[in-house]
Amino acid sequence: MYLAITTNMSIPTDKTLADQGVTQPHQIAELYVLVRTHFDAHFGNVHEESDWQLFRDRWLGRKSGVLKQITDYWLKPAKPALKSAVGAGLNELRAHVESQIEARRLAIESGAEESALLRERIDLSLPAVHRPVGSHHLIRQVFQEIEDIFVSIGFSVVEGPEIETPYYNFEALNIPEFHPVRDDMDTFYLELPKGAKTPLLLRTHTSPMQIRTMEKQKPPVRVIVPGKVYRRDNPDATHSFAFHQIEGLAVDTDITFCDFTGTIEYFVKQFFGPSVKTRFRPSYFPFTEPSVEFDVSCIFCGGSGAAVGGGTCSKCKGSAWIELFGAGMVDPAVYGFVKYDAKKLSGFAFGMGIDRLAMLKYGIDDIQVFFQNDVRFLRQFP
Ligand code: DAH
C-alpha cells in the first residue's frame, strides 16, 4: 500500500516540459490525463487514515507534492505559448485532487467514528455489575436494639475509651489492688516506654464509664455505654479475648430498688418478648450494694426446664432459668470517687454481655462466629 501511494514512476512531474519534448497544447492535455489517471488508480486503494495522510502529502505537500512539482517543473519554466494551457490543466487537476482527498477524509472519519462507536457501544441488555450492599454485623444490630429500648425510656448513649487506666477500670470502681475480683478479669496491659506515669490497660468491662460519666456530669444521670472490652481468656464457645458489653447507670435523688428491677424487667421483656419472666439472685460486685444477678426464664424451653422431645432442656440444664447479667444499686463508696453526695443520691447500674444476649436471642452456640466474619454466617442476619 505504501509503495502504491508514494511511487511516482509513471508520471514525469519532476521534468520540465521542454525536457520531455512537449511543445503542443494537446500533448499537455495528454500529460494531465496521465497524471489524473494515475491519481485515480492509486487513490482507489486509500481507505485508512494513515494511508490517506501519506497520499495527501504526496499530492498536496507544499514542498514536493505532485502539484507543487507540476507548478515548478511544468508551469514556471513553460514557454509563454503553453503557459495558459499548463495553468488551466493544473487548476483542473488541483480541484479534482483536493475535492477527492477531502471527500475521502470525511468518509474515513465517519467510518472511524462508526467503528469506534461500535467498539464503545454499551449493551444495556447485559446483566449489570453486582455490587452487594453490606449489612450491620449481628452484634451491631443487637447493640442498636438494646440502645433503642433504653433510649425510649430516657437513657442516653455515651461511649468511652477502650484503653483505660487501672484507676478507672478498677480503683474508682471500688476494686483495690489485690482484690480477688481482679482475678476474674485477667487483664491485657499495654507495653509502655520506661518511665510512663501510669500503666495502661485494655478495659475489661464498660464499668469505667460509670466513673467517667459521673465525673463529668451532675446527677441526674441516665446513660448506657455500649462498647468493646478485653480479657485474657482462652477462646472457646463462650469466651473470646474481645467481646461486647452495655453498661447502664442511673443516679438520682430518689431511685429505689423497685425502679431498678422495674427497669430491668421492662428491658428484658422488650428484648426477649413479653412472655419471659425475670428473677434476680443475690450476687457480689465491688461497685454495687446490694448486687444481683438477673435471670430470665429459659427462652428455649419456655421456662419449663424440659426439652421438647422429653428429658431436660440442654440450654438451661433443666433449671428453667438462664443467667443474663450482673447489676445492683450503686455502692456508696463509688460516689466517693466522683464527689457525689452518697447521702442524697441513689442509683443502679448493670452490665450486660452483648455477645451472650445475641447468642441467647438468636440461638447461636459459639461466640467465635461473631469474630470470624464468615459471610455465610453474616448473611443470615441481613
Ligand atoms: N462490670 C461487670 C463485669 O464485667 C458487670 C457488671 C456487674 C456491671 C454489675 C455493672 C454492675 O454495672 O452493676 O463483670
Side-chain angles (χ1 to χ4, degrees):
M1 178 59 75
Y2 180 78
L3 267 180
I5 290 165
T6 53
T7 45
N8 199 20
M9 303 278 281
S10 51
I11 46 170
T13 52
D14 54 358
K15 281 190 193 127
T16 63
L17 296 177
D19 284 348
Q20 297 177 57
V22 172
T23 53
Q24 303 296 317
H26 74 91
Q27 289 178 298
I28 291 167
E30 278 166 17
L31 268 181
Y32 275 119
V33 170
L34 183 70
V35 172
R36 187 169 171 148
T37 310
H38 183 88
F39 171 87
D40 288 342
H42 288 102
F43 195 48
N45 295 325
V46 173
H47 299 293
E48 278 169 37
E49 199 185 338
S50 53
D51 288 345
W52 175 86
Q53 277 174 4
L54 284 173
F55 202 84
R56 177 200 56 193
D57 295 343
R58 179 73 195 110
W59 284 81
L60 299 175
R62 289 222 181 123
K63 279 194 185 144
S64 56
V66 173
L67 296 183
K68 169 77 170 139
Q69 284 180 344
I70 292 177
T71 309
D72 290 344
Y73 289 94
W74 294 4
L75 183 64
K76 284 183 185 164
K79 293 207 173 94
L82 294 178
K83 252 208 171 116
S84 72
V86 177
L90 179 58
N91 285 343
E92 243 175 63
L93 178 67
R94 183 184 302 283
H96 177 69
V97 167
E98 281 179 351
S99 72
Q100 289 292 304
I101 285 180
E102 175 61 10
R104 186 64 51 88
R105 181 183 71 80
L106 291 173
I108 288 173
E109 253 176 31
S110 67
E113 223 167 273
E114 225 167 72
S115 60
L117 279 179
L118 214 62
R119 240 184 294 121
E120 291 160 20
R121 194 168 68 116
I122 295 169
D123 184 349
L124 294 177
S125 70
L126 281 175
V129 177
H130 180 58
R131 298 189 201 287
V133 178
S135 61
H136 285 138
H137 192 283
L138 182 60
I139 292 294
R140 188 56 47 203
Q141 294 180 33
V142 172
F143 266 135
Q144 193 62 54
E145 241 179 284
I146 297 176
E147 287 170 24
D148 288 347
I149 296 169
F150 280 102
V151 165
S152 76
I153 53 172
F155 283 75
S156 33
V157 181
V158 294
E159 286 185 44
E162 290 174 19
I163 295 175
E164 268 297 7
T165 61
Y167 176 77
Y168 286 107
N169 198 76
F170 296 124
E171 269 107 64
L173 287 162
N174 206 24
I175 315 175
E177 214 174 350
F178 307 118
H179 192 291
V181 160
R182 290 206 187 188
D183 293 346
D184 297 336
M185 295 189 174
D186 208 348
T187 308
F188 288 111
Y189 283 88
L190 273 66
E191 261 177 38
L192 296 177
K194 274 206 184 96
K197 274 197 201 114
T198 52
L200 290 175
L201 51 82
L202 296 181
R203 67 179 176 191
T204 57
H205 51 177
T206 41
S207 304
M209 275 307 285
Q210 290 190 29
I211 307 302
R212 288 186 181 277
T213 305
M214 289 189 282
E215 272 182 351
K216 257 206 227 139
Q217 192 181 322
K218 287 200 179 103
V221 169
R222 276 180 191 78
V223 292
I224 54 167
V225 188
K228 248 190 221 135
V229 300
Y230 303 85
R231 289 184 202 177
R232 291 183 48 175
D233 287 334
N234 288 324
D236 63 20
T238 54
H239 293 87
S240 165
F241 63 87
F243 55 105
H244 306 84
Q245 289 187 335
I246 286 191
E247 192 77 12
L249 175 70
V251 180
D252 207 340
T253 47
D254 52 2
I255 290 186
T256 66
F257 198 85
C258 276
D259 296 320
F260 166 46
T261 53
T263 305
I264 300 295
E265 197 171 312
Y266 175 78
F267 160 71
V268 172
K269 283 185 192 292
Q270 288 290 310
F271 187 72
F272 285 111
S275 60
V276 296
K277 292 194 225 68
T278 56
R279 74 173 186 186
F280 58 83
R281 294 172 286 115
S283 183
Y284 172 76
F285 299 101
F287 37 93
T288 45
E289 181 58 38
S291 301
V292 304
E293 200 73 52
F294 259 94
D295 295 348
V296 64
S297 55
C298 179
I299 44 193
F300 299 99
C301 62
S304 69
V308 182
T312 51
C313 169
S314 64
K315 302 286 179 176
C316 64
K317 313 229 161 46
S319 76
W321 294 96
I322 285 185
E323 190 180 311
L324 272 193
F325 54 83
M329 300 301 286
V330 178
D331 192 313
V334 172
Y335 294 134
F337 286 96
V338 295
K339 304 195 175 62
Y340 270 22
D341 187 345
K343 288 202 192 82
K344 288 194 187 137
L345 297 168
S346 58
F348 62 84
F350 54 87
M352 28 197 175
I354 300 310
D355 311 76
R356 179 167 166 72
L357 289 184
M359 287 165 77
L360 286 173
K361 179 159 179 176
Y362 295 98
I364 294 158
D365 52 16
D366 185 354
I367 194 174
Q368 301 303 329
V369 295
F370 291 137
F371 307 102
Q372 287 159 348
N373 286 333
D374 184 331
V375 286
R376 290 168 302 180
F377 168 73
L378 300 175
R379 279 205 191 112
Q380 294 174 47
F381 305 97

